[in-house]
Amino acid sequence: MKFLLRTAFWLTVIALLLPAVDSQRSSGPPQQVRAGEAVSAASAAVADMRQFCARQPEACVIGSQALSSLGQKAQAGARMLYDFLSEHFAHAGSPETGIKTTSKPGQHTFSPADLTVPWRGTPARKEAEPKRPA
């Protein structure tokens, strides 16, 4: 929930900082909102949201119960979806469904002989050439 609130807050700040469309500017006198004003307005809104539960305790209690119920429903729905997908994909290769799965070759099918590196000998060393006088 906090993630959604943070995301909505930052998207609002970004939207306020974006330049205005020309059609909005031509309708009346230009109104410029500075970045500092937008940040102070956003911080005032956050401070007001923090004080909301002090002003309206019943609304916070009901809201928390509603969010708790919503979370439980989302968890139950996710569990049902997980169970459905698990059953569907677990039985996908069984003869009762009529769906045939192609068998993939296993991994690590190399023999020890395949894994050995062939010997290539030692590299030939070049003898140091005598330096020529300059």
Side-chain angles (χ1 to χ4, degrees), residues 9-74:
F9 169 76
W10 285 113
L11 288 176
T12 304
V13 169
I14 290 170
L16 289 174
L17 296 177
L18 289 176
V21 180
D22 290 336
S23 64
Q24 293 177 353
R25 289 184 183 172
S26 63
S27 63
Q31 296 179 351
Q32 296 293 331
V33 178
R34 296 182 190 152
E37 293 173 350
V39 170
S40 66
S43 63
V46 169
D48 185 51
M49 286 180 7
R50 288 182 184 156
Q51 298 299 324
F52 180 76
C53 285
R55 292 188 314 245
Q56 301 287 335
E58 293 176 7
C60 282
V61 169
I62 294 172
S64 66
Q65 290 174 352
L67 288 176
S68 175
S69 174
L70 180 66
Q72 290 173 354
K73 287 180 182 181

